[in-house]
Amino acid sequence: MAKGDFTRSFAEWMRGRNGADDVARLSTWVALVFFLIGLLAANTVCEVIALALLVYSQWRMMSKNIAKRARENEAFMSALGPVRPWVVSPRAAWTESRSFKHLACPSCGQKVRVPRGKGTVRITCPKCHQKFDAKA
Ligand SMILES: [Zn+2]
């Protein structure tokens, strides 16, 4: 069997399945962390948690109830709040945090993004047009 055949039949088999969503990816990473801790600390409980998370993430990827998995994924991701970008793409979140500062408008609370390293800047809130100074 050629390599292309395997890739094609795997793609065929994965059709209509959920695949690796954010929750599945996150639980795979957390499983890996627990597995390493379990290995280093010779802790069986950590290894069992790692195995359970791994089984759960595999089950998510294989699941054919895509609509339900998508709802769960979205509910979980929105529950993360400001941590979300760090879970979705840690590298992009890191780059973003190095080049921008996120501030809240003092009068309406609207979040604004200002470039870092520009000293004190005058910001006009895009929502209520209130002007305020901030160190960025
Ligand atoms: Zn405002």
Side-chain angles (χ1 to χ4, degrees):
M1 190 170 80
K3 192 172 174 275
D5 290 346
F6 175 75
T7 312
R8 199 174 316 118
S9 58
F10 182 70
E12 205 105 314
W13 185 73
M14 278 304 285
R15 185 173 300 148
R17 292 176 195 265
N18 192 40
D21 58 10
D22 300 314
V23 174
R25 262 194 295 270
L26 185 66
S27 43
T28 305
W29 280 108
V30 175
L32 197 68
V33 170
F34 269 102
F35 179 70
L36 287 174
I37 293 169
L39 212 63
L40 294 171
N43 188 327
T44 316
V45 175
C46 285
E47 287 172 355
V48 169
I49 292 170
L51 191 68
L53 282 168
L54 214 57
V55 167
Y56 175 68
S57 66
Q58 292 301 309
W59 170 79
R60 280 195 75 82
M61 290 187 221
M62 297 304 117
S63 173
K64 287 188 170 178
N65 194 344
I66 295 174
K68 196 172 179 199
R69 296 292 90 77
R71 273 198 306 277
E72 290 166 359
N73 195 61
E74 190 45 47
F76 178 78
M77 294 312 281
S78 49
L80 287 177
V83 182
R84 184 178 182 151
W86 293 93
V87 172
V88 174
S89 174
R91 193 181 294 165
W94 170 254
T95 309
E96 167 82 17
S97 76
R98 300 315 299 156
S99 17
F100 296 98
K101 197 172 184 178
H102 295 86
L103 304 165
C105 168
S107 79
C108 75
Q110 168 70 38
K111 293 268 197 320
V112 288
R113 197 176 77 151
V114 290
R116 278 184 189 276
K118 303 272 185 215
T120 303
V121 289
R122 168 143 287 202
I123 299 151
T124 305
C125 173
K127 197 173 168 189
C128 70
H129 305 290
Q130 163 88 30
K131 287 180 168 57
F132 61 100
D133 294 325
K135 239 185 113 202

